[in-house]
Amino acid sequence: MSAHRPAAIRPLADVLVNQIAAGEVVERPASVLKEVLENALDAGARAIDVQLEQGGVRRIRVADDGCGIARDDLALALERHATSKIATLEDLEQVGTMGFRGEALAAIAAVARLTLTSRAEGSAHAWRIDGTDRSLAPAALNQGTVVDVADLFYSTPARRKFLKSEATEYAHCDEVFRRIALARPDIGLQLAHNGRVVHRLPAGDPLRRVAALMGDDFLQHARNLDADAGPLRLAGVAALPAYSRTSRDAQYLFVNGRFVRDKLLTHAVRQAYADILHGSRHPAYVLFLELDPAGVDVNVHPAKIEVRFREARAVHQFVFHALTRSLAASGAGIGVTGDNANAAAVAAEADPGGSTAPARAANPLRYANAAGHDAAPVQGRLAMEAASRSYYDFAASARPAESPSSPADASGFRPTAFAPSAGRGAATAAEAPMPPIEAASAPLGYAIAQLHGIYILAQNAAGLVLVDMHAAHERILYEKLKTVLDGQPAVQRLLIPAVLSVSAKDMAAAEECAEVLARMGFEVAPVGPAELAVRSVPALLASAPIGELLRKLLEELREFPASEVVTARRNELLATMACHGAVRAHRSLTIPEMNALLRDMEATERADQCNHGRPTWTQLTMGELDRFFMRGQ
């Protein structure tokens, strides 16, 4: 066999060069739509109309009302590396436009039938250019540009075979449209597929645009975010874990208005959710990061989907801390909004003076005091027209008297005494001045009952609050444990050491990790070949099932080295301790204990979710209850 001899080197034909370049820019119809939409944005369009046929394979037509292209520039617009958006290296280092490479239209024209019609501002009429033969002809069009792309990949049938079904290709086009629409709520957009209008989005409020594309349910479970630090600003909405997804289909991250999939930013967001979201779930968010264009390089990917930051660590930390602060704020302490605000306004109108003392004299609450002890306030019959005022009377009676010496019970709650009962000073209670009751002072209201030993029912200014007591207490303990572990944890010594029977592996883990356990408040020592004695536990977990908790900790310590547990896996270990130490379902709580839990929730970060991302409480407003029972209809 003769040795293979390479062919002589020769320049490629322009058509082949364009078709090779198209392979980098044009992967499918959605790639074409993205490039054309970005050009429309750069042209200053205020309204964009998109029409698709057969998922964009048969036709993509994008019409905008931007500045247009002059007649003499139309032919140049179809040449490779011809652009009006950058001219020097300095321009490239601080790109402020969506497109700048100047190869999109040339690449599209190489693999599809392209027609470009445009009327520049101030021109007498429009001109149309054929992308195949570059012929020019007059056309009728208002100011703006129409890009019509037909028969994608007709000139490269081998690539057309790699396209998916019409439904799949349309779904990718719809996703590109959504990204542009979310990035620019100030622009009106419309999308039609096979003659049917799918999206009609007028220019307007950003939150309304998010609701139109993401759904009202997303907004109801999301937190607004707006933080800045020097040249960096992060704004948008981030959903709470209750709205988490099984996929990443609801994650939109924009850098200077450009949708990106950046590993650095994705990691920062994921870390911010790590404390409140189960590992198998994915958060949902629409976030906008703004910074100096000189601080980010958008020229690292042909499709401009990836970016590189000059100060990557600073950007990561800023995004992480800004999002963490937003998610950490307990919804219980946010204030009065929506129906809550309406309820508060009605109540303020009913009691403009802000004093509840006269109302307490005639309030419909009564106290069961057969044994001579303070008992839970019980709400009697209420006149319907006095519903809002009755809550404030109820809240005035339910508020605990300050008692700093009240001991904490075994659950970790610190119950406080209620207002004087009928048997001990009820006559003076009506005369004692009470501070004004404000909805914001107790957003979760005051407990009225416990349901099946699992849920706490509470009444606040807006209506009914339902609390999962185990999930709520788990979050409270977890946050306290994180704080305590940073210093020297308070320890509860056991009067009689708890002796546990353990396996040989657990015994070895206890001896190897004795220092780690001691730092967490556990004093453990072997008292036999297969027995461990627990002499002290963290004070916060004094009422937890010691055997079950310690075995779970030893199981995790066996799996991971002690040094790694204390650092990287510290929070996971604390979450395990909190879960086993939290008050269990079916335990009967007193009204003071329930109210103490509500107050702790209001003062705890991330109290809206437990450590596994489940919601801890929900609100049923009076408006929702009235609609359910069709009151006033």
Side-chain angles (χ1 to χ4, degrees):
M1 288 180 64
S2 59
H4 175 71
R5 298 182 61 185
I9 298 175
R10 58 183 179 273
L12 295 175
D14 288 343
V15 173
L16 186 57
V17 169
N18 286 338
Q19 289 178 339
I20 292 173
E24 297 180 348
V25 178
V26 182
E27 299 177 9
R28 59 195 334 151
S31 307
V32 175
L33 182 60
K34 173 182 178 296
E35 297 293 343
V36 177
L37 283 175
E38 288 181 348
N39 281 340
L41 296 180
D42 288 340
R46 307 305 302 170
I48 302 176
D49 180 72
V50 180
Q51 298 178 31
L52 305 175
E53 293 181 16
Q54 297 180 12
V57 179
R58 176 70 183 85
R59 189 186 190 195
I60 300 173
R61 183 181 186 275
V62 178
D64 69 68
D65 61 353
C67 64
I69 305 173
R71 176 188 182 278
D72 296 338
D73 289 341
L74 282 174
L76 196 58
L78 300 182
E79 297 296 326
R80 292 187 65 223
H81 306 311
T83 179
S84 63
K85 300 169 186 177
I86 61 171
T88 65
L89 179 60
E90 289 73 18
D91 295 337
L92 184 61
E93 290 178 347
Q94 47 185 356
V95 174
T97 55
M98 300 297 290
F100 53 87
R101 288 171 175 264
E103 60 184 40
L105 291 178
I108 295 168
V111 294
R113 305 185 195 278
L114 171 66
T115 301
L116 184 62
T117 306
S118 188
R119 179 178 181 178
E121 187 176 2
S123 298
H125 56 78
W127 290 88
R128 177 182 296 112
I129 186 170
D130 188 294
T132 303
D133 58 17
R134 302 297 199 268
S135 61
L136 272 171
L141 182 70
N142 291 327
Q143 179 179 324
T145 303
V146 176
V147 180
D148 200 325
V149 181
D151 299 327
L152 186 62
F153 296 137
Y154 83 97
S155 61
T156 54
R159 293 190 60 192
R160 188 160 185 163
K161 293 178 181 178
F162 285 92
L163 295 179
K164 305 299 181 182
S165 66
E166 177 181 328
T168 299
E169 296 302 335
Y170 166 71
H172 285 283
C173 289
D174 180 71
E175 180 63 17
V176 166
F177 180 87
R178 287 170 176 270
R179 294 171 184 175
I180 296 293
L182 286 171
R184 295 298 300 271
D186 58 318
I187 294 177
L189 295 112
Q190 179 172 293
L191 172 66
H193 183 225
N194 293 337
R196 183 177 68 88
V197 175
V198 181
H199 297 293
R200 184 180 285 113
L201 306 171
D205 179 64
L207 287 180
R208 184 171 298 178
R209 177 66 58 87
V210 171
L213 294 172
M214 302 289 287
D216 291 330
D217 192 43
F218 169 80
L219 274 188
Q220 290 172 2
H221 294 86
R223 292 268 174 82
N224 289 344
L225 174 65
D226 193 349
D228 59 79
L232 300 174
R233 180 170 183 258
L234 184 67
V237 285
L240 296 171
Y243 191 81
S244 61
R245 321 277 285 201
T246 56
S247 64
R248 297 181 177 88
D249 62 343
Q251 297 181 353
Y252 295 91
L253 189 53
F254 301 86
V255 176
N256 290 344
R258 185 191 309 278
F259 176 83
V260 300
R261 291 198 181 280
D262 181 75
K263 293 181 180 178
L264 177 88
L265 297 179
T266 301
H267 182 268
V269 172
R270 188 72 196 182
Q271 287 295 102
Y273 274 93
D275 230 12
I276 54 177
L277 188 64
H278 192 275
S280 63
R281 307 287 294 180
H282 297 280
Y285 49 82
V286 179
L287 298 175
F288 300 87
L289 177 65
E290 297 176 10
L291 71 162
D292 185 346
V296 56
D297 184 1
V298 298
N299 193 31
V300 296
H301 190 276
K304 302 182 291 292
I305 199 73
E306 297 176 7
V307 295
R308 182 181 296 119
F309 296 99
R310 297 189 188 280
E311 301 291 340
R313 179 172 177 79
V315 171
H316 179 283
Q317 291 301 97
F318 168 70
V319 172
F320 167 71
H321 288 296
L323 191 53
T324 298
R325 284 194 298 270
S326 176
L327 295 172
S330 168
I334 289 176
V336 185
T337 57
D339 287 339
N340 301 31
N342 295 334
V346 172
E349 183 178 344
D351 190 8
S355 173
T356 58
R360 290 188 76 245
N363 75 49
L365 304 178
R366 65 181 187 272
Y367 294 86
N369 194 30
H373 301 291
D374 290 341
V378 180
Q379 186 167 304
R381 288 185 57 196
L382 302 176
M384 298 310 297
E385 65 274 8
S388 61
R389 180 166 189 161
S390 67
Y391 164 71
Y392 285 83
D393 297 339
F394 170 76
S397 299
R399 288 200 310 166
E402 293 298 329
S403 180
S405 60
S406 300
D409 78 335
S411 70
F413 302 132
R414 188 174 296 277
T416 51
F418 280 92
S421 65
R424 291 191 297 158
T428 60
E431 303 166 4
M434 291 288 293
I437 302 297
E438 298 178 2
S441 65
L444 293 179
Y446 298 93
I448 52 179
Q450 188 179 19
L451 183 64
H452 290 288
I454 299 175
Y455 301 103
I456 294 173
L457 309 183
Q459 182 184 184
N460 68 355
L464 179 67
V465 174
L466 299 173
V467 177
D468 182 334
M469 66 181 195
H470 172 76
H473 194 210
E474 184 178 351
R475 168 58 69 180
I476 293 168
L477 279 181
Y478 177 49
E479 295 297 332
K480 288 182 178 179
L481 284 170
K482 285 198 298 184
T483 303
V484 166
L485 192 61
D486 292 333
Q488 183 62 35
V491 171
Q492 175 69 54
R493 294 196 63 82
L494 302 181
L495 186 61
I496 302 176
V499 179
L500 311 176
S501 296
V502 296
S503 66
K505 291 182 179 180
D506 285 343
M507 180 67 74
E511 293 178 351
E512 180 184 348
C513 304
E515 183 180 348
V516 175
L517 292 171
R519 287 181 56 186
M520 294 181 174
F522 292 93
E523 183 183 345
V524 180
V527 292
E531 289 183 328
L532 286 174
V534 184
R535 295 191 172 92
S536 67
V537 296
L540 285 172
L541 304 177
S543 61
I546 297 173
E548 181 182 343
L549 172 58
L550 192 60
R551 287 190 179 94
K552 183 63 178 177
L553 291 180
L554 291 175
E555 178 184 332
E556 297 199 15
L557 288 168
R558 285 202 320 262
E559 187 176 354
F560 297 93
S563 58
E564 185 179 345
V565 169
V566 176
T567 54
R569 290 183 54 85
R570 185 195 78 157
N571 286 354
E572 294 180 37
L573 200 63
L574 295 181
T576 298
M577 295 167 62
C579 184
H580 287 273
V583 61
R584 297 305 178 91
H586 307 299
R587 176 191 157 174
S588 178
L589 298 182
T590 65
I591 290 288
E593 287 175 329
M594 291 186 237
N595 280 317
L597 178 61
L598 297 177
R599 302 293 79 79
D600 279 348
M601 289 177 64
E602 292 164 353
T604 300
E605 292 185 343
R606 308 175 185 88
D608 293 336
Q609 304 90 30
C610 76
N611 310 337
H612 313 294
R614 295 189 296 109
T616 59
W617 68 281
T618 189
Q619 170 88 62
L620 291 176
T621 66
M622 293 301 295
E624 291 170 332
L625 292 171
D626 288 345
R627 286 191 293 272
F628 179 80
F629 289 105
M630 295 184 286
R631 287 184 49 79
Q633 298 183 18

